[in-house]
Amino acid sequence: MAATRAIAIASNSTCSLIAKKPLTLNQKHFVVGGHHHALCFKTLKLSHSSSRRFYTCRAIYNPDLIVKEEGQPETLDYRVFFVDKSGKTVSPWHDIPLQLGDGAFNFIVEIPKESSAKMEVATDEAFTPIKQDTKKGKLRYYPYNINWNYGLLPQTWEDPSFANSEVEGAFGDNDPVDVVEIGDSRRKIGEVLRVKPLAALAMIDEGELDWKIVAISLDDPRASLVNDVNDVEEHFPGTLTAIRDWFRDYKIPDGKPANRFGLGNQAANKDYALKVITETNESWSKLVKRSIPAGELSLV
């Protein structure tokens, strides 16, 4: 029988606040965004120049979570599940709220920086746990470490039936939106961080649109210095180019062609990143309301 254990991760993140009672070494508690969420298909306003519609459904009340591992890391049966304080298993994709107000969003870490195991939410499994991706029955690894924390924005979905006229008519890749978090700290699998978006890269992977939202955790020492794409160039010089080049080239060692980027091969600004988040959140809303066929995707 596969081993099951709750994992303990120390963090100084404001969204990973330790529970009111002391932790034992076999538990990890954190608060998603530090807020209560009980909205379902409501309009939320950002502290931004224009209001945008964000949708949330089955959002968690007072979302204190435990992250539980099943199986051993780097095995085919390894899974990372999310459990609320009542003991109910929840989906990191569907149940953790996207938008926190004041321009902050939840970000779920799938791949810690300076690691190479290709971890992702299992969008076709019940409760969408995090697992290591496979190909032809074998675990997948990047050919070299990724240099940033990488994961997803919950309650977003890149619709494979939607052709984006601004990005060469490319269709969505059928996954949640990816985030590249550029902060200094190496995070943990399953950690939930409050981030602010800074830029967007429109990667085209074998004809599919695969957005990369560049963001920074609000607890990073330099978070107050960066609020848009130009700030990233100033305070993290070379980072946007490095991110683009990493994702362009990572498949080449396996004999595949380089990925391409739309939008003039440049990183779009924060406003555009927020537009992408809004549109993909709307697509997710249609998906969970079953206005769009789910196919093999799990909506549990």
Side-chain angles (χ1 to χ4, degrees), residues 145-163:
N145 285 351
I146 189 167
N147 306 126
W148 311 274
N149 297 300
Y150 188 59
L152 73 141
L153 287 175
Q155 300 186 342
T156 62
W157 179 57
E158 299 194 48
D159 183 354
S161 69
F162 174 71

Side-chain angles (χ1 to χ4, degrees), residues 18 63 106 117 138 203 233 268:
I18 301 303
N106 275 322
K138 294 184 178 181
M203 191 176 92
E233 293 288 5

Side-chain angles (χ1 to χ4, degrees), residues 171-193:
F171 291 86
D173 72 349
N174 202 32
D175 282 325
V177 170
D178 297 325
V179 172
V180 183
E181 195 275 319
I182 63 174
D184 293 336
S185 298
R186 184 179 190 268
R187 305 298 186 159
K188 304 292 185 180
I189 296 174
E191 194 167 356
V192 182
L193 304 176

Side-chain angles (χ1 to χ4, degrees), residues 28 52-53 71 93 96 105 132 134 160 170 191 196 234 239:
K28 173 192 173 185
R52 300 173 187 270
R53 293 185 62 84
W93 181 19
I96 292 178
F105 295 82
Q132 189 166 352
T134 60
E191 194 167 356
K196 57 180 174 182
E234 179 180 354
T239 295

Side-chain angles (χ1 to χ4, degrees), residues 36 72 77 137 150 208:
H36 294 244
Q72 296 296 325
D77 62 351
Y150 188 59
E208 294 181 337

Side-chain angles (χ1 to χ4, degrees), residues 250-261:
Y250 79 90
K251 291 187 174 182
I252 293 176
D254 293 330
K256 294 185 176 181
N259 291 319
R260 299 184 298 110
F261 287 85

